[in-house]
Amino acid sequence: MTFKSEYLAKVYDDVCKRNPNEPEFLQAVGEVLESLEPVVERRPDIVAAGIIDRIVEPERGIQFRVSWVDDEGKVRVNRGYRYQFNSAIGPHKGGIRLHPSVNASVIKFLGFEQIFKNSLTGLPIGGGKGGSDFDPKGKSDGEVMRFCQSFMTELCKHIGADTDVPAGDIGTGAREIGYMFGQYKRIRNEFTGVLTGKSISYGGSLARKEATGYGLLYFTKEMLADKGIDIAGKRIIVSGSGNVAIYAAQKATQLGGKVIAMSDSSGYIHDEDGVNLDVIKKIKEVDRARISEYVKSVPTATFTPGCKGIWTIKADVALPCATQNEIDEESAKALIANGVIAVAEGANMPSTPEAVAAFQSAGVLFGPAKAANAGGVATSALEMSQNSMRLSWTFDEVDAKLHDIMVNIYKNCSKTAREFGLEDNLVAGANIAGFLKVADAMLWQGVAY
Ligand code: NDP
């Protein structure tokens, strides 16, 4: 990583020394610092106050043992994490990831990105992230419940409706949030909006389940419309088939696009007639099965093992909605060769830095995760508002607010990129706009932490 600014080079060097063996975290920090070159030139007050030196260091991080008993009576041990990165503009907010690949580096990259994403929503939420290397796949409901209860037994000491409000992420859906909420209530004896992504029956928000995917499409539609392109009729690839992917595909279809491929960690399906989402929902949300089952219901579709091949399908729009670094340079070049017009990130950091550079130099419209997938956390913040007011908005009310938030995020990123002489670079626009609001709040609050 090379920087023009000596100051940024030194900050990045210090981060590398302090966080060795954390490649995902260093990748996320490097990308943001790169975007901040013009800010460092224009804002000596930010440099003098050590804002960038401080923002790369989490306010607090905890790691804890999570022991639980499986269905055979055997004791199992996992590792839990919560990184509370920044609370300058509101309580820490960010999901809980349950996946075997979780480690400190992954949680720190996600927590760091969350600071800027949450800032972009315009809502009062700080950044944080948590998780565990527990794998819910193949576990019984009882096992998942015992794990979640044990996880929350420790986590409840560190979170609260005005302190830190976790939500879902990979492996954490309404089932896991429910078990965690129940345990929090049991231990703390209080019914508060301490988690979002709750089921509707006990304080969840309508449209939260759909929000990240829908928001991604509101952003993508705006990004295309700004260049005079209509999303209707476009061929769209959506990777993943979890929460974000399913509702991205649903909104893409409602807007007149044609989703022709989806995937899970075992492979991808290709359906030129347009993916049948009822079949996908049954496989993924009801049966918790593998995506290969799709071809049993839709024999004209094909299933191919392995994840990378999905990016070799000819499409106009690519929406990576599975996991980090799923599009490398080779995949980006395959998409470009096939004439892709736009890429918008539903997952967090799904494109490697080389892939992002390839898209940008080929003139592909590129919506970075911090901006494009912010609809989930924005709607989580709307869930917090409803919980505080002890009332519920209708689906349409929440969806309309989500739509406006996503359009504003696009406009803010685009305008900021232009103001800093980086027209059409939404990566820089998102990083700078997200950063400046938090930096300003930190300046007002002094060197308190
Ligand atoms: P889910 O657990 O619901 O779905 C994840 C999907 O991605 C599944 O299809 C899963 O396949 C696939 N996947 C996971 N890991 C890998 C891997 N290593 N290789 C290939 N495929 C993989 O998670 P979400 O939909 O909630 O999250 C998806 C992404 O979106 C993540 O990056 C998350 O951080 C991000 N995000 C989520 C938000 C939300 O509101 N949920 C908000 C903002 C961002 P399989 O079933 O085989 O594991």
Side-chain angles (χ1 to χ4, degrees):
M1 190 111 238
T2 49
F3 296 94
K4 276 186 256 154
S5 148
E6 270 177 40
Y7 166 65
L8 287 174
K10 166 90 171 62
V11 173
Y12 185 68
D13 196 43
D14 288 348
V15 175
C16 291
K17 285 189 185 127
R18 196 176 270 167
N19 305 278
N21 309 315
E22 296 193 354
E24 293 87 357
F25 178 52
L26 297 179
Q27 182 182 337
V29 171
E31 187 223 81
V32 171
L33 295 190
E34 218 174 15
S35 299
L36 296 183
E37 299 263 15
V39 175
V40 166
E41 273 175 32
R42 286 193 202 179
R43 293 287 304 269
D45 59 326
I46 285 179
V47 176
I51 299 292
I52 304 176
D53 308 72
R54 283 189 272 158
I55 213 164
V56 295
E57 183 68 16
E59 286 173 18
R60 191 175 299 105
I62 56 161
Q63 183 193 303
F64 49 100
R65 183 174 66 207
V66 188
S67 28
W68 53 282
V69 180
D70 71 15
D71 287 347
E72 273 70 55
K74 189 168 172 282
V75 176
R76 304 280 203 106
V77 179
N78 287 101
R79 184 174 280 183
Y81 302 89
R82 187 75 186 165
Y83 277 94
Q84 299 175 333
F85 243 97
N86 195 293
S87 61
I89 61 170
H92 302 280
K93 179 100 200 82
I96 291 173
R97 179 173 291 192
L98 300 181
H99 193 271
S101 63
V102 162
N103 55 36
S105 173
V106 168
I107 299 300
K108 282 165 72 177
F109 115 66
L110 291 162
F112 180 70
E113 297 238 303
Q114 199 83 43
I115 305 172
F116 310 100
K117 178 189 313 198
N118 293 3
S119 164
L120 283 173
T121 66
L123 300 168
I125 37 178
K129 198 82 186 188
S132 171
D133 56 3
F134 173 79
D135 188 359
K137 230 179 275 159
K139 304 287 191 305
S140 69
D141 278 351
E143 290 176 325
V144 170
M145 181 178 76
R146 291 192 291 280
F147 167 83
C148 290
Q149 290 175 338
S150 180
F151 184 82
M152 185 51 84
T153 300
E154 175 58 31
L155 189 68
C156 76
K157 299 168 194 165
H158 311 280
I159 62 174
D162 295 317
T163 319
D164 182 1
V165 183
D169 191 75
I170 292 180
T172 306
R175 174 181 62 169
E176 291 75 16
I177 291 289
Y179 293 147
M180 289 181 195
F181 184 84
Q183 184 72 350
Y184 182 90
K185 189 161 58 70
R186 177 156 73 169
I187 297 175
R188 299 283 291 261
N189 195 26
E190 57 182 39
F191 194 113
T192 56
V194 67
L195 291 163
T196 58
K198 301 185 288 296
S199 176
I200 305 301
S201 56
Y202 67 95
S205 174
L206 288 163
R208 172 60 187 92
K209 183 175 68 174
E210 294 82 359
T212 310
Y214 277 25
L216 173 66
L217 267 295
Y218 295 147
F219 183 95
T220 307
K221 182 170 183 272
E222 194 64 24
M223 180 169 77
L224 287 165
D226 200 20
K227 302 291 173 198
I229 305 167
D230 191 347
I231 194 167
K234 298 289 174 290
R235 292 162 56 82
I236 303 175
I237 301 172
V238 178
S239 67
S241 49
N243 174 262
V244 179
I246 287 177
Y247 293 95
Q250 182 163 301
K251 184 52 76 180
T253 310
Q254 286 172 8
L255 294 175
K258 189 171 169 193
V259 176
I260 49 166
M262 293 184 77
S263 63
D264 66 14
S265 59
S266 58
Y268 65 94
I269 52 131
H270 183 178
D271 186 348
E272 276 296 321
D273 295 331
V275 170
N276 182 331
L277 276 175
D278 291 337
V279 175
I280 294 282
K281 282 187 186 176
K282 166 89 171 48
I283 295 169
K284 287 292 168 184
E285 293 185 338
V286 180
D287 301 341
R288 295 179 187 271
R290 311 309 299 155
I291 202 160
S292 51
E293 295 290 307
Y294 184 85
V295 294
K296 289 187 184 156
S297 302
V298 186
T300 47
T302 56
F303 170 75
T304 310
C307 301
K308 251 186 105 167
I310 195 169
W311 308 119
T312 62
I313 298 170
K314 186 170 173 51
D316 304 305
V317 177
L319 304 175
C321 296
T323 195
Q324 63 269 12
N325 293 328
E326 55 173 310
I327 302 186
D328 60 11
E329 189 176 13
E330 189 189 345
S331 299
K333 286 187 170 158
L335 285 165
I336 294 164
N338 276 328
V340 77
I341 304 166
V343 177
E345 299 184 321
N348 285 311
M349 207 166 74
S351 316
T352 65
E354 297 77 20
V356 178
F359 290 134
Q360 288 180 328
S361 58
V364 173
L365 300 176
F366 182 76
K370 281 184 202 83
N373 75 22
V377 75
T379 308
S380 275
L382 300 179
E383 183 174 331
M384 289 165 71
S385 301
Q386 293 170 79
N387 291 164
S388 300
M389 293 188 289
R390 305 253 193 270
L391 54 79
S392 305
W393 295 325
T394 64
F395 187 99
D396 288 347
E397 279 176 291
V398 179
D399 191 34
K401 289 182 203 298
L402 168 66
H403 179 268
D404 290 352
I405 289 169
M406 296 313 296
V407 170
N408 283 336
I409 290 176
Y410 174 77
K411 289 188 171 149
N412 188 11
C413 295
S414 171
K415 180 171 126 285
T416 306
R418 207 166 31 248
E419 278 170 11
F420 279 81
L422 296 159
E423 179 116 26
D424 289 338
N425 184 341
L426 297 176
V427 174
N431 287 337
I432 296 172
F435 169 79
L436 285 176
K437 181 177 174 190
V438 178
D440 191 42
M442 290 174 76
L443 284 170
W444 277 107
Q445 292 170 33
V447 189
Y449 47 80

